[in-house]
Amino acid sequence: MDLKYEFYINGTREQVWDALVSPEGTKALLFGSVLESTFEVGAPFAYVGSGNDGDRTVHVYGTVLEYEPNVKFSVIEHPGPSYQERHEELESRMTFTLETVGSTTKLTLVNDQWTENHPSRERTESSWWMIMSNLKTYVETGKTMDFGW
């Protein structure tokens, strides 16, 4: 089953995009991780930060499918090696799309094409609500939410 989320954020597409891909934005929103990639179609990407394997733990990695700044970012992703033994076999697609609606930005996230019986699927469903709520708060206030993680 596909996961789909839509948020309206009181900020420009550039501000939302920056939160999604810049080192400052991803560190604030994604557990201190930085998104590393050349962002070319077909290039690898990884969210890297502190974790099970020290300061350079790969939390999620994969391949860039689409990258159009301030509009769309789509990847095939795998869980980091320290999280799942079969990480290379487990995948899903994540697609972030930004649209201007009045003076706001509509962010649509679709997380689909899950490997059958993917062990992270259920946890991801609830985590995205928190991460996207945090992104909305971050863009609108410059602060993140404290979920006690």
Side-chain angles (χ1 to χ4, degrees):
M1 185 173 149
D2 298 350
L3 303 177
K4 183 177 180 181
Y5 306 85
E6 294 179 341
F7 280 82
Y8 291 86
I9 302 169
N10 192 22
T12 65
R13 287 188 309 174
E14 292 79 9
Q15 289 170 313
V16 176
W17 186 262
D18 191 56
L20 286 171
V21 301
S22 75
E24 298 79 18
T26 59
K27 274 184 185 179
L29 300 171
L30 298 168
F31 320 102
S33 296
V34 172
L35 175 56
E36 297 181 353
S37 181
T38 62
F39 300 109
E40 296 164 346
V41 173
F45 82 93
Y47 287 96
V48 179
S50 295
N52 297 346
D53 297 329
D55 289 342
R56 298 271 318 149
T57 297
V58 174
H59 295 281
V60 174
Y61 72 96
T63 305
V64 175
L65 299 174
E66 293 182 69
Y67 187 84
E68 185 179 347
N70 305 315
V71 177
K72 192 171 196 177
F73 181 44
S74 184
V75 298
I76 292 292
E77 62 88 20
H78 306 273
S82 68
Y83 296 100
Q84 297 290 336
E85 190 172 307
R86 307 178 310 132
H87 61 93
E88 293 171 332
E89 301 168 24
L90 301 170
E91 68 179 40
S92 71
R93 179 176 66 178
M94 297 185 310
T95 303
F96 298 90
T97 307
L98 305 179
E99 302 169 58
T100 300
V101 178
S103 62
T104 71
T105 299
K106 178 183 179 184
L107 166 63
T108 303
L109 165 61
V110 177
N111 195 181
D112 60 1
Q113 298 185 7
W114 290 87
T115 302
E116 190 174 341
N117 298 318
H118 194 304
S120 301
R121 161 81 182 54
E122 191 173 311
R123 184 179 69 247
T124 300
E125 186 172 2
S126 61
S127 296
W128 274 130
W129 285 113
M130 298 171 91
I131 293 168
M132 293 296 98
S133 295
N134 205 18
L135 182 139
K136 178 175 169 52
T137 299
Y138 179 73
V139 169
E140 293 177 350
T141 70
K143 298 177 183 172
T144 56
M145 301 163 74
D146 181 0
F147 294 116
W149 291 338

